Amino acid sequence: FETFQIVPTQGAVDVATTTWEEPCALDATQTCRQYALIWANFGFPSSEGNANIMFYSSERYNAITGTGGGFYDVQSLPADGASAVTPFTISGALYLAVAAHGSDAL
């Protein structure tokens, strides 16, 4: 394997991936596959834990590869002591379960 992207985390202890299809942004008559990385960040004494959600875009410049394609931050959910993340689907809707050990459990 070669390094593709460096993602700063806050004590990451779990990572999950998920994909789904939705109408393309440039042509809603076409279907595009979307990709996500989800990190469970336990946190450090100086920072709170969270579940960090990143999406992939082929249009983003990747400084490591020198080409297009990379993940970018979409959302950070507070979760003090996050230790696991699991994406799942119910009736076509995508959800995220987060295990958190602290007082800010989701």
Side-chain angles (χ1 to χ4, degrees):
F1 293 100
E2 293 184 25
T3 302
F4 173 76
Q5 183 173 346
I6 297 171
V7 176
T9 62
Q10 299 162 342
V13 293
D14 191 27
V15 63
T17 63
T18 190
T19 62
W20 66 96
E21 292 186 359
E22 63 183 31
C24 297
L26 298 177
D27 182 357
T29 64
Q30 300 292 319
T31 302
C32 288
R33 181 170 292 273
Q34 304 297 324
Y35 304 90
L37 283 175
I38 306 144
W39 302 91
N41 290 305
F42 194 82
F44 295 124
S46 61
S47 67
E48 298 293 323
N50 65 29
N52 189 34
I53 301 158
M54 303 178 82
F55 287 176
Y56 177 81
S57 171
S58 61
E59 298 172 1
R60 289 233 185 240
Y61 175 72
N62 187 320
I64 291 176
T65 65
T67 62
F71 288 90
Y72 62 96
D73 288 322
V74 174
Q75 188 172 14
S76 178
L77 303 172
D80 190 20
S83 60
V85 289
T86 302
F88 61 97
T89 303
I90 298 175
S91 300
L94 187 61
Y95 296 91
L96 178 64
V98 179
H101 297 279
S103 61
D104 291 338
L106 299 176

